[in-house]
Amino acid sequence: MTTYGAVLDALGDPTRRSVLELVAERPQPVGELAARLPVSRPAVSQHLRVLKDAGLVTDTAVGTQRVYRLDARGAAALRAYLDRFWDDSLAAYARAVEQDLAPEERP
Amino acid sequence: MTTYGAVLDALGDPTRRSVLELVAERPQPVGELAARLPVSRPAVSQHLRVLKDAGLVTDTAVGTQRVYRLDARGAAALRAYLDRFWDDSLAAYARAVEQDLAPEERP
DNA sequence: ACCGTTCGTCAGTCGTAACTTACCGTTCGT
DNA sequence: ACGAACGGTAAGTTACGACTGACGAACGGT
């Protein structure tokens, strides 16, 4: 789906962030990721599925193992959200502050 | 604390994102936010506490009501995380792809 | 001084998602 | 062809957090 909501939901879990940070170091198979984390291999598999659905990682089959790597789509979706939402909002606030008058206080 | 982990945890909940988006429109008191959401006022209060701890909102007392507004600190923490983590990682990948050789495949 | 409004906090309930173990399919080597 | 390695899926448990209702504190108006 790769919407910003899915990306933020995926990044909302600490273990999932750890998985993603390991993948960011270098592409790795599932077993190697699980060996570096305090959770079981199936747990890592489930986290990888969420990260994949959010567009944060991609997987490719290499022999019997699946190598996971970072995907830029998720990062792009999140960045677009930040750029539109925050910049616009903060700009609106800046305008309100310049007028020294909050919007809801206007007659 | 305003670390990127706290920001992502805060943004991981859909209801909390709705609260933040309402606050982004214009500074509002708690009751007004609760009136526009399908949850109770205490729930909104608890979400606002998390958002505040993450540095995403600030509150100021105005008479009997507390007005919440966006805070740029949370956005800055998240943006710094994205800039450092993703840009560096994706750049490293780009280099690896140019060499047509993944890091773990090298002798 | 009292009453209404607004809000934070506390206890308690409930749903969900993060985790485990067990099982099965797929792939490669011999 | 058989066995071992690797990983996804299913079933089940558990722990956490999202939510509600009840209470109390602070401020303002009359």
Side-chain angles (χ1 to χ4, degrees):
Chain A
M1 189 170 290
T2 317
T3 179
Y4 76 87
V7 175
L8 288 174
D9 285 339
L11 266 48
D13 181 71
T15 305
R16 208 141 48 210
R17 284 198 294 271
S18 298
V19 173
L20 189 65
E21 288 170 3
L22 285 180
V23 172
E25 291 180 5
R26 53 187 161 84
Q28 295 175 48
V30 180
E32 194 172 336
L33 291 169
R36 304 195 186 196
L37 290 168
V39 294
S40 68
R41 185 189 52 74
V44 175
S45 261
Q46 292 164 2
H47 285 307
L48 286 170
R49 177 204 260 281
V50 176
L51 292 172
K52 182 181 175 184
D53 288 345
L56 287 166
V57 299
T58 58
D59 60 330
T60 56
V62 177
T64 80
Q65 54 189 13
R66 300 195 74 84
V67 176
Y68 283 81
R69 39 174 55 79
L70 261 194
D71 186 358
R73 292 181 305 147
L78 184 53
R79 193 176 291 274
Y81 173 73
L82 290 179
D83 288 349
R84 242 192 49 234
F85 175 75
W86 253 293
D87 289 349
D88 290 359
S89 301
L90 293 177
Y93 281 5
R95 286 196 301 271
V97 168
E98 282 178 3
Q99 300 176 0
D100 198 23
L101 194 62
E104 76 280 4
E105 292 169 349
R106 291 181 198 140
Chain B
M1 188 170 288
T2 315
T3 179
Y4 75 88
V7 175
L8 288 174
D9 285 338
L11 266 47
D13 181 70
T15 305
R16 208 142 46 209
R17 285 197 294 271
S18 298
V19 172
L20 188 65
E21 288 171 2
L22 285 180
V23 172
E25 292 179 4
R26 55 187 161 83
Q28 294 174 46
V30 180
E32 194 171 335
L33 291 167
R36 304 196 186 196
L37 290 169
V39 295
S40 69
R41 185 189 53 74
V44 175
S45 260
Q46 292 165 2
H47 284 306
L48 285 169
R49 177 203 259 282
V50 175
L51 292 172
K52 182 180 174 183
D53 289 345
L56 287 166
V57 299
T58 58
D59 61 330
T60 56
V62 177
T64 81
Q65 56 189 10
R66 298 196 75 86
V67 177
Y68 283 82
R69 38 175 55 80
L70 261 193
D71 187 358
R73 292 181 305 148
L78 183 53
R79 194 176 290 273
Y81 174 72
L82 289 180
D83 288 350
R84 243 191 47 234
F85 174 74
W86 251 294
D87 289 350
D88 289 1
S89 301
L90 293 177
Y93 281 6
R95 285 195 301 272
V97 168
E98 282 178 4
Q99 301 176 1
D100 197 24
L101 195 60
E104 78 280 6
E105 292 167 352
R106 291 179 198 142

